[in-house]
Amino acid sequence: MTLAERIDQLVERHGSLRALARVMGCSPPYICRLRSGVTKNPGPAVLRKLGLRRVVHYELLKKESPE
């Protein structure tokens, strides 16, 4: 689930973006910036309020074989 999808879910549950902002204790513009990707990497407190946690994935870099 992406951050935008989770915010959309919560907006639907609370009825409006303004209502979600009030419940989370954030400003509506901040939530809009999170949803659109303008603001990245929200802190742990904001993630907790959204019911999310940060997950980091690592993948092995593939080296090109010498020819």
Side-chain angles (χ1 to χ4, degrees):
M1 170 176 284
T2 66
L3 186 58
E5 290 170 341
R6 179 60 179 164
I7 290 172
D8 289 341
Q9 235 182 23
L10 292 172
V11 166
E12 188 175 321
R13 181 181 302 158
H14 291 284
S16 71
L17 190 126
R18 231 177 248 278
L20 173 61
R22 196 174 323 111
V23 168
M24 288 183 56
C26 300
S27 70
Y30 178 69
I31 295 175
C32 283
R33 288 191 303 271
L34 283 175
R35 181 197 269 173
S36 67
V38 172
T39 298
K40 298 179 187 210
N41 299 319
V46 172
L47 288 174
R48 234 182 347 270
K49 290 176 184 178
L50 290 170
L52 298 172
R53 65 185 172 111
R54 188 177 317 273
V55 178
V56 179
H57 295 278
Y58 294 93
E59 83 180 42
L60 187 60
L61 296 175
K62 295 179 182 173
K63 293 183 181 181
E64 292 183 23
S65 57
E67 294 179 21

